[in-house]
Amino acid sequence: AEILGVTFQEMLPKSREVFIGCKRDSSFWEVILVGMWGIFVNIYEDVALKLAGVWREEIMWMFQSLKWYQILAGARGESSIHFESLIDIVEKIQEIFVSFPEITEIDINPAFANEKNAIIVDAKLYLKY
C-alpha cells in the first residue's frame, strides 16, 4: 500500500470510548456491532449485534441494550454522550460497508464521544484478497 498522507485531529476532552464494527461472513451475512471499547468488548463481550440495514432508532436501541449503557448516558452526575453524533458515525460506516463488498470487516476501536461530539480515533478495514 502507498500512504498518501496522515491526518491528526484534536482529542475530545473528557470523553467515553465506544467500539463500532461491521462483519461479513457466510453464516451471518452483514452485521453491525456496537459496544464499549477495549476490555469491555474483549473480556465482558458487551456488544449489541444486528443485521446491516439498521436505521437510527435501532442503532440507539443497540446502545441502550449494552450492560454499560448508563455509563454512556451519564451515570453519577456525568453528562450523557452525544448519541446523535455517534449514530451518524454508525450510519456512515454501515453505508460504506454495505456499498463495498470487498470490505470483509470494519473495526473502530475506539470512537470517542462526549456531550458535544463523537469522533473515530482508530479504524481498521479488512479487505478480501
Side-chain angles (χ1 to χ4, degrees):
E2 182 179 336
I3 299 173
L4 302 176
V6 177
T7 302
F8 292 92
Q9 185 167 346
E10 181 181 338
M11 297 284 286
L12 286 181
K14 197 167 185 177
S15 56
R16 279 158 251 152
E17 300 175 36
V18 176
F19 164 81
I20 302 167
C22 302
K23 188 168 178 86
R24 184 186 325 271
D25 71 30
S26 58
S27 302
F28 294 109
W29 302 313
E30 300 167 339
V31 293
I32 308 298
L33 302 100
V34 300
M36 295 296 286
W37 67 282
I39 191 170
F40 298 102
V41 170
N42 298 332
I43 294 175
Y44 297 117
E45 298 178 359
D46 188 17
V47 297
L49 178 137
K50 284 205 155 265
L51 290 176
V54 294
W55 56 89
R56 297 185 75 79
E57 293 81 11
E58 286 181 298
I59 296 168
M60 187 62 204
W61 174 86
M62 291 171 74
F63 284 111
Q64 290 171 336
S65 71
L66 298 173
K67 295 172 195 161
W68 300 91
Y69 169 73
Q70 289 303 320
I71 292 171
L72 300 174
R76 301 192 83 175
E78 294 287 326
S79 57
S80 174
I81 65 168
H82 196 262
F83 281 103
E84 290 300 314
S85 296
L86 205 51
I87 291 169
D88 288 343
I89 290 172
V90 175
E91 280 188 319
K92 290 172 185 168
I93 293 300
Q94 173 181 240
E95 184 178 335
I96 291 167
F97 182 66
V98 171
S99 298
F100 295 94
E102 58 272 16
I103 300 173
T104 60
E105 189 174 339
I106 298 176
D107 181 359
I108 297 171
N109 192 9
F112 284 1
N114 65 14
E115 67 276 356
K116 297 179 182 173
N117 202 359
I119 61 170
I120 295 172
V121 177
D122 186 8
K124 295 177 191 141
L125 280 76
Y126 300 88
L127 304 174
K128 290 182 194 174
Y129 61 93

mmCIF file of all heavy atoms in Angstrom, residues 55-74:
data_model
loop_
_atom_site.group_PDB
_atom_site.id
_atom_site.type_symbol
_atom_site.label_atom_id
_atom_site.label_comp_id
_atom_site.label_asym_id
_atom_site.label_seq_id
_atom_site.Cartn_x
_atom_site.Cartn_y
_atom_site.Cartn_z
ATOM 1 N N TRP A 55 -31.620 1.323 11.060
ATOM 2 C CA TRP A 55 -31.874 2.757 10.994
ATOM 3 C C TRP A 55 -31.583 3.373 12.356
ATOM 4 O O TRP A 55 -31.227 2.682 13.307
ATOM 5 C CB TRP A 55 -33.278 3.065 10.474
ATOM 6 C CG TRP A 55 -34.385 2.414 11.252
ATOM 7 C CD1 TRP A 55 -35.014 2.919 12.339
ATOM 8 C CD2 TRP A 55 -34.992 1.144 10.998
ATOM 9 N NE1 TRP A 55 -35.968 2.042 12.789
ATOM 10 C CE2 TRP A 55 -35.988 0.951 11.982
ATOM 11 C CE3 TRP A 55 -34.801 0.152 10.031
ATOM 12 C CZ2 TRP A 55 -36.772 -0.199 12.036
ATOM 13 C CZ3 TRP A 55 -35.594 -0.985 10.088
ATOM 14 C CH2 TRP A 55 -36.560 -1.142 11.077
ATOM 15 N N ARG A 56 -31.718 4.681 12.458
ATOM 16 C CA ARG A 56 -31.291 5.439 13.640
ATOM 17 C C ARG A 56 -31.883 4.913 14.943
ATOM 18 O O ARG A 56 -31.181 4.783 15.936
ATOM 19 C CB ARG A 56 -31.643 6.919 13.482
ATOM 20 C CG ARG A 56 -30.917 7.579 12.321
ATOM 21 C CD ARG A 56 -31.192 9.071 12.256
ATOM 22 N NE ARG A 56 -30.473 9.791 13.278
ATOM 23 C CZ ARG A 56 -29.185 10.115 13.205
ATOM 24 N NH1 ARG A 56 -28.469 9.761 12.164
ATOM 25 N NH2 ARG A 56 -28.601 10.786 14.181
ATOM 26 N N GLU A 57 -33.160 4.610 14.955
ATOM 27 C CA GLU A 57 -33.804 4.138 16.180
ATOM 28 C C GLU A 57 -33.222 2.796 16.624
ATOM 29 O O GLU A 57 -33.045 2.549 17.814
ATOM 30 C CB GLU A 57 -35.321 4.001 15.978
ATOM 31 C CG GLU A 57 -36.032 5.313 15.763
ATOM 32 C CD GLU A 57 -35.940 5.833 14.321
ATOM 33 O OE1 GLU A 57 -35.508 5.085 13.406
ATOM 34 O OE2 GLU A 57 -36.283 7.004 14.101
ATOM 35 N N GLU A 58 -32.913 1.931 15.668
ATOM 36 C CA GLU A 58 -32.318 0.635 16.004
ATOM 37 C C GLU A 58 -30.895 0.794 16.531
ATOM 38 O O GLU A 58 -30.487 0.067 17.438
ATOM 39 C CB GLU A 58 -32.294 -0.286 14.785
ATOM 40 C CG GLU A 58 -33.653 -0.840 14.412
ATOM 41 C CD GLU A 58 -33.553 -1.755 13.217
ATOM 42 O OE1 GLU A 58 -33.150 -1.282 12.139
ATOM 43 O OE2 GLU A 58 -33.849 -2.957 13.369
ATOM 44 N N ILE A 59 -30.158 1.730 15.973
ATOM 45 C CA ILE A 59 -28.798 1.974 16.461
ATOM 46 C C ILE A 59 -28.861 2.463 17.903
ATOM 47 O O ILE A 59 -28.100 1.995 18.758
ATOM 48 C CB ILE A 59 -28.052 2.974 15.559
ATOM 49 C CG1 ILE A 59 -27.871 2.386 14.154
ATOM 50 C CG2 ILE A 59 -26.698 3.330 16.171
ATOM 51 C CD1 ILE A 59 -27.408 3.381 13.102
ATOM 52 N N MET A 60 -29.782 3.360 18.204
ATOM 53 C CA MET A 60 -29.936 3.833 19.579
ATOM 54 C C MET A 60 -30.323 2.677 20.488
ATOM 55 O O MET A 60 -29.801 2.545 21.598
ATOM 56 C CB MET A 60 -30.970 4.960 19.649
ATOM 57 C CG MET A 60 -31.057 5.617 21.004
ATOM 58 S SD MET A 60 -29.498 6.403 21.444
ATOM 59 C CE MET A 60 -29.644 6.425 23.213
ATOM 60 N N TRP A 61 -31.219 1.817 20.024
ATOM 61 C CA TRP A 61 -31.609 0.656 20.820
ATOM 62 C C TRP A 61 -30.398 -0.239 21.094
ATOM 63 O O TRP A 61 -30.260 -0.790 22.195
ATOM 64 C CB TRP A 61 -32.692 -0.157 20.095
ATOM 65 C CG TRP A 61 -33.001 -1.414 20.831
ATOM 66 C CD1 TRP A 61 -33.893 -1.578 21.849
ATOM 67 C CD2 TRP A 61 -32.384 -2.694 20.628
ATOM 68 N NE1 TRP A 61 -33.855 -2.882 22.292
ATOM 69 C CE2 TRP A 61 -32.941 -3.587 21.556
ATOM 70 C CE3 TRP A 61 -31.410 -3.164 19.750
ATOM 71 C CZ2 TRP A 61 -32.565 -4.924 21.633
ATOM 72 C CZ3 TRP A 61 -31.031 -4.494 19.829
ATOM 73 C CH2 TRP A 61 -31.605 -5.356 20.755
ATOM 74 N N MET A 62 -29.503 -0.367 20.102
ATOM 75 C CA MET A 62 -28.303 -1.183 20.288
ATOM 76 C C MET A 62 -27.469 -0.624 21.448
ATOM 77 O O MET A 62 -27.019 -1.383 22.310
ATOM 78 C CB MET A 62 -27.469 -1.228 18.998
ATOM 79 C CG MET A 62 -28.136 -2.018 17.882
ATOM 80 S SD MET A 62 -27.282 -1.862 16.288
ATOM 81 C CE MET A 62 -25.831 -2.878 16.583
ATOM 82 N N PHE A 63 -27.281 0.694 21.475
ATOM 83 C CA PHE A 63 -26.535 1.287 22.587
ATOM 84 C C PHE A 63 -27.270 1.103 23.908
ATOM 85 O O PHE A 63 -26.666 0.784 24.931
ATOM 86 C CB PHE A 63 -26.254 2.771 22.331
ATOM 87 C CG PHE A 63 -25.153 3.004 21.342
ATOM 88 C CD1 PHE A 63 -25.427 3.534 20.092
ATOM 89 C CD2 PHE A 63 -23.838 2.680 21.650
ATOM 90 C CE1 PHE A 63 -24.411 3.745 19.172
ATOM 91 C CE2 PHE A 63 -22.819 2.880 20.731
ATOM 92 C CZ PHE A 63 -23.105 3.413 19.492
ATOM 93 N N GLN A 64 -28.589 1.256 23.897
ATOM 94 C CA GLN A 64 -29.372 1.112 25.128
ATOM 95 C C GLN A 64 -29.355 -0.319 25.661
ATOM 96 O O GLN A 64 -29.551 -0.533 26.855
ATOM 97 C CB GLN A 64 -30.811 1.564 24.888
ATOM 98 C CG GLN A 64 -30.928 3.049 24.701
ATOM 99 C CD GLN A 64 -32.312 3.481 24.238
ATOM 100 O OE1 GLN A 64 -33.059 2.705 23.643
ATOM 101 N NE2 GLN A 64 -32.647 4.732 24.498
ATOM 102 N N SER A 65 -29.103 -1.286 24.806
ATOM 103 C CA SER A 65 -29.101 -2.687 25.247
ATOM 104 C C SER A 65 -27.774 -3.106 25.897
ATOM 105 O O SER A 65 -27.683 -4.195 26.459
ATOM 106 C CB SER A 65 -29.423 -3.612 24.075
ATOM 107 O OG SER A 65 -28.345 -3.660 23.160
ATOM 108 N N LEU A 66 -26.757 -2.248 25.834
ATOM 109 C CA LEU A 66 -25.473 -2.588 26.445
ATOM 110 C C LEU A 66 -25.574 -2.562 27.964
ATOM 111 O O LEU A 66 -26.273 -1.732 28.540
ATOM 112 C CB LEU A 66 -24.395 -1.590 26.000
ATOM 113 C CG LEU A 66 -24.087 -1.543 24.506
ATOM 114 C CD1 LEU A 66 -23.127 -0.396 24.206
ATOM 115 C CD2 LEU A 66 -23.504 -2.864 24.036
ATOM 116 N N LYS A 67 -24.854 -3.472 28.614
ATOM 117 C CA LYS A 67 -24.828 -3.507 30.083
ATOM 118 C C LYS A 67 -24.277 -2.201 30.647
ATOM 119 O O LYS A 67 -24.653 -1.777 31.730
ATOM 120 C CB LYS A 67 -23.958 -4.666 30.564
ATOM 121 C CG LYS A 67 -24.480 -6.023 30.204
ATOM 122 C CD LYS A 67 -23.461 -7.094 30.546
ATOM 123 C CE LYS A 67 -23.838 -8.387 29.850
ATOM 124 N NZ LYS A 67 -22.724 -9.311 29.744
ATOM 125 N N TRP A 68 -23.371 -1.568 29.904
ATOM 126 C CA TRP A 68 -22.692 -0.371 30.364
ATOM 127 C C TRP A 68 -23.355 0.898 29.814
ATOM 128 O O TRP A 68 -22.761 1.979 29.861
ATOM 129 C CB TRP A 68 -21.226 -0.428 29.941
ATOM 130 C CG TRP A 68 -20.551 -1.632 30.521
ATOM 131 C CD1 TRP A 68 -20.458 -2.863 29.932
ATOM 132 C CD2 TRP A 68 -19.932 -1.755 31.784
ATOM 133 N NE1 TRP A 68 -19.804 -3.740 30.743
ATOM 134 C CE2 TRP A 68 -19.460 -3.087 31.902
ATOM 135 C CE3 TRP A 68 -19.705 -0.877 32.839
ATOM 136 C CZ2 TRP A 68 -18.788 -3.545 33.020
ATOM 137 C CZ3 TRP A 68 -19.042 -1.351 33.950
ATOM 138 C CH2 TRP A 68 -18.591 -2.662 34.034
ATOM 139 N N TYR A 69 -24.580 0.808 29.332
ATOM 140 C CA TYR A 69 -25.275 1.962 28.737
ATOM 141 C C TYR A 69 -25.322 3.162 29.688
ATOM 142 O O TYR A 69 -25.130 4.301 29.271
ATOM 143 C CB TYR A 69 -26.687 1.564 28.301
ATOM 144 C CG TYR A 69 -27.544 2.749 27.931
ATOM 145 C CD1 TYR A 69 -27.321 3.445 26.752
ATOM 146 C CD2 TYR A 69 -28.568 3.194 28.771
ATOM 147 C CE1 TYR A 69 -28.088 4.548 26.408
ATOM 148 C CE2 TYR A 69 -29.333 4.289 28.444
ATOM 149 C CZ TYR A 69 -29.092 4.957 27.259
ATOM 150 O OH TYR A 69 -29.845 6.052 26.928
ATOM 151 N N GLN A 70 -25.578 2.921 30.965
ATOM 152 C CA GLN A 70 -25.708 4.035 31.918
ATOM 153 C C GLN A 70 -24.433 4.857 32.004
ATOM 154 O O GLN A 70 -24.477 6.053 32.281
ATOM 155 C CB GLN A 70 -26.116 3.526 33.305
ATOM 156 C CG GLN A 70 -27.549 3.040 33.369
ATOM 157 C CD GLN A 70 -28.541 4.118 32.947
ATOM 158 O OE1 GLN A 70 -28.398 5.297 33.278
ATOM 159 N NE2 GLN A 70 -29.551 3.737 32.198
ATOM 160 N N ILE A 71 -23.270 4.233 31.758
ATOM 161 C CA ILE A 71 -22.012 4.987 31.743
ATOM 162 C C ILE A 71 -22.028 5.965 30.568
ATOM 163 O O ILE A 71 -21.613 7.111 30.694
ATOM 164 C CB ILE A 71 -20.805 4.034 31.669
ATOM 165 C CG1 ILE A 71 -20.704 3.240 32.972
ATOM 166 C CG2 ILE A 71 -19.517 4.801 31.376
ATOM 167 C CD1 ILE A 71 -19.690 2.129 32.949
ATOM 168 N N LEU A 72 -22.541 5.517 29.413
ATOM 169 C CA LEU A 72 -22.638 6.389 28.242
ATOM 170 C C LEU A 72 -23.703 7.463 28.426
ATOM 171 O O LEU A 72 -23.554 8.589 27.971
ATOM 172 C CB LEU A 72 -22.950 5.570 26.992
ATOM 173 C CG LEU A 72 -21.935 4.500 26.599
ATOM 174 C CD1 LEU A 72 -22.455 3.689 25.428
ATOM 175 C CD2 LEU A 72 -20.597 5.124 26.281
ATOM 176 N N ALA A 73 -24.790 7.096 29.095
ATOM 177 C CA ALA A 73 -25.927 8.004 29.253
ATOM 178 C C ALA A 73 -25.741 9.005 30.389
ATOM 179 O O ALA A 73 -26.573 9.895 30.557
ATOM 180 C CB ALA A 73 -27.204 7.197 29.473
ATOM 181 N N GLY A 74 -24.677 8.859 31.165
ATOM 182 C CA GLY A 74 -24.406 9.849 32.204
ATOM 183 C C GLY A 74 -24.741 9.392 33.601
ATOM 184 O O GLY A 74 -25.654 9.924 34.222
#
